[in-house]
Amino acid sequence: MAIFQKLLPLLAISVISLPNAQANTDKIATPLLDNCKQQQTQATAYSICLDEAVKQVERELESWILQTENKISASASGPQVDAAMYELKRANKYYQQYIESYCRSLFFANQGSAEAANIFRQCKIVQIRQRITLLKYEKDK
């Protein structure tokens, strides 16, 4: 039962942060996005930079997810680990679906613009960085 008490804040933060995701983006550090914006001399180069930044931030997210899973495995035993891992994986799956859907909605809202694909990429970078920040917060507890 103790593992559920440890996981509850993580799951609560994940659920609570979904509606406020856009409002909190100003507080999220996005050095990869900032780096691409500084190199925005050519539209193609900027798009390529954003593609690489998305890949890098996705790898970082995967690393934080694995660290969180390892923390749970180390702090629980028996069926508690299975239940906790199931809930964590489920939360991460839903969070990733949220990111994809939210960013896709921004893409479709701006589909007539030449920047629609870049808006999608920027959104993914910011939203994934927010998820990483939440996982870091939980790790520090």
Side-chain angles (χ1 to χ4, degrees):
M1 190 56 109
I3 190 66
F4 290 114
Q5 291 172 342
K6 291 180 181 178
L7 260 184
L8 188 58
L10 175 65
L11 296 175
I13 290 170
S14 298
V15 173
I16 292 169
S17 67
L18 292 179
N20 299 323
Q22 186 62 33
N24 294 330
T25 57
D26 293 337
K27 301 173 188 172
I28 304 299
T30 55
L32 295 172
L33 185 56
D34 297 340
N35 184 40
C36 290
K37 286 180 180 178
Q38 290 174 354
Q39 299 176 7
Q40 191 179 358
T41 57
Q42 208 174 18
T44 306
Y46 182 61
S47 293
I48 292 170
C49 183
L50 288 176
D51 280 337
E52 292 303 314
V54 168
K55 289 176 189 173
Q56 186 172 344
V57 79
E58 285 174 340
R59 285 190 300 268
E60 186 180 350
L61 174 62
E62 187 61 34
S63 173
W64 277 102
I65 289 171
L66 291 174
Q67 287 180 34
T68 305
E69 289 175 358
N70 289 339
K71 180 182 176 185
I72 289 171
S73 295
S75 66
S77 61
Q80 290 178 338
V81 172
D82 295 336
M85 293 298 275
Y86 171 79
E87 291 300 327
L88 178 66
K89 288 180 181 186
R90 190 170 140 198
N92 284 322
K93 175 184 151 191
Y94 287 129
Y95 204 98
Q96 289 174 341
Q97 288 175 342
Y98 162 77
I99 291 171
E100 190 68 29
S101 293
Y102 176 71
C103 294
R104 198 176 300 143
S105 73
L106 292 178
F107 171 81
F108 288 127
N110 293 286
Q111 198 167 10
S113 166
E115 290 297 309
N118 287 341
I119 290 170
F120 174 80
R121 292 178 188 108
Q122 291 166 356
C123 174
K124 282 193 82 167
I125 292 167
V126 171
Q127 295 301 317
I128 292 171
R129 287 293 305 153
Q130 180 176 13
R131 180 65 176 152
I132 291 168
T133 300
L134 292 172
L135 291 171
K136 285 181 182 180
Y137 171 76
E138 182 57 31
K139 182 178 182 272
D140 292 339
K141 282 185 150 186

